Amino acid sequence: MMAVLLLHFVALFSTKTTTNISTDQSALLALKAHIISDPQKMLKTNWSIATSFCNWVGVTCGSRHQKVIALNLSSMLLTGTVPPQIGNLSFLTSLDLTNNSFHGSLPIQLTNLHRLKLINLVLNNFYGEIPSWFDSFPKLQYLSLSANNFVGQIPSDMFERLPRLQVLYLDGNKLSGKIPLGLFKCKELEYISLAFNSLEGILPKEIGNLTMLELLFLQENQIEGKQKVFGCYFN
């Protein structure tokens, strides 16, 4: 009887492990399929099912399990979109797509990635409004959406559940409206850049609540007011 139970447990464990591995691999292959230009052939030649996806360029897996914990495709000259399947990388803590030509909107399935600590999408062509669902990442420390084509107001409620956020870069977009008061709930913020947008209004006095703030960049906006904040730059 014990032998039968042991075999049953091993079978269940093996099935679960296989499922986890294939889920991450499928998510990465979906991303590869959404790449329309890969001039350096980084993904085309390296991301092959003939090898473990943990050995693929830009992919880091955890030491205790074959789950993707970091995806770094920065400066690979890639053109494409981010597929919803990326939201299946449930152990992902770092997503870096810096300096490529990704475009389109961000899939809402990213909200499944509750372990994310870093999101770096600087120097791409993402567009549309910044989603308010960025508040789905309670462990997020670093968020950079700089140098894209995001438009509209910065959603105030996106900061409701980001208690660990330390770095926020939204510069070089087409954002308008006022600085949302919700931003000042992120008490651990150290660096903020909202420069090179079309923001307006008066710098809220609540900026004084950010006692850990070291640098604040606001140049090339229409923001008025002065606060005693170290490293504060206006237009």
Side-chain angles (χ1 to χ4, degrees):
M1 185 65 177
M2 289 296 293
V4 173
L5 289 174
L6 181 60
L7 287 172
H8 180 66
F9 173 79
V10 170
L12 285 175
F13 180 79
S14 299
T15 301
K16 184 177 182 181
T17 302
T18 302
T19 301
N20 286 340
I21 293 174
S22 62
T23 298
D24 280 20
Q25 179 174 286
S26 295
L28 295 174
L29 290 176
L31 175 59
K32 180 182 179 181
H34 280 71
I35 301 299
I36 60 177
S37 178
D38 180 10
Q40 295 179 331
K41 297 183 179 179
M42 300 293 287
L43 274 58
K44 183 177 181 180
T45 58
N46 185 269
W47 284 26
S48 168
I49 58 174
T51 60
S52 169
F53 62 84
C54 290
N55 295 325
W56 292 356
V57 62
V59 177
T60 302
C61 289
S63 58
R64 293 184 297 176
H65 47 69
Q66 286 190 304
K67 299 290 291 179
V68 179
I69 60 172
L71 183 61
N72 185 352
L73 304 182
S74 60
S75 301
M76 291 188 181
L77 306 180
L78 302 173
T79 300
T81 58
V82 177
Q85 290 90 338
I86 289 298
N88 294 330
L89 298 175
S90 57
F91 279 73
L92 197 67
T93 63
S94 178
L95 176 62
D96 190 344
L97 304 180
T98 303
N99 194 23
N100 285 290
S101 295
F102 283 99
H103 57 272
S105 57
L106 300 174
I108 193 173
Q109 287 81 3
L110 291 179
T111 58
N112 297 328
L113 306 179
H114 302 300
R115 291 180 169 87
L116 275 176
K117 297 180 180 179
L118 179 147
I119 300 176
N120 194 351
L121 306 180
V122 64
L123 286 170
N124 280 283
N125 296 309
F126 291 109
Y127 56 77
E129 296 184 352
I130 295 177
S132 60
W133 46 251
F134 270 106
D135 68 345
S136 302
F137 311 114
K139 297 182 179 181
L140 194 64
Q141 300 174 4
Y142 184 106
L143 174 61
S144 180
L145 306 179
S146 301
N148 280 278
N149 292 302
F150 289 107
V151 300
Q153 293 189 347
I154 303 172
S156 183
D157 50 356
M158 73 175 281
F159 303 106
E160 290 294 328
R161 290 181 289 274
L162 297 178
R164 301 183 183 180
L165 191 64
Q166 299 173 8
V167 177
L168 176 67
Y169 294 144
L170 301 180
D171 51 285
N173 283 284
K174 300 175 182 178
L175 302 173
S176 57
K178 299 180 179 180
I179 298 177
L181 294 179
L183 172 63
F184 307 114
K185 294 181 180 180
C186 302
K187 301 297 181 62
E188 295 190 10
L189 274 169
E190 299 177 11
Y191 304 98
I192 301 175
S193 181
L194 306 177
F196 301 99
N197 282 290
S198 298
L199 299 172
E200 58 185 16
I202 299 175
L203 181 65
K205 65 180 185 301
E206 286 81 1
I207 190 73
N209 297 337
L210 303 182
T211 58
M212 301 179 69
L213 191 63
E214 297 184 16
L215 290 175
L216 173 63
F217 294 97
L218 299 174
Q219 64 265 39
E220 299 301 324
N221 284 289
Q222 299 300 319
I223 298 173
E224 302 176 0
K226 293 183 179 180
Q227 300 288 335
K228 293 181 179 179
V229 180
F230 175 75
C232 183
Y233 292 92
F234 295 88
N235 46 325

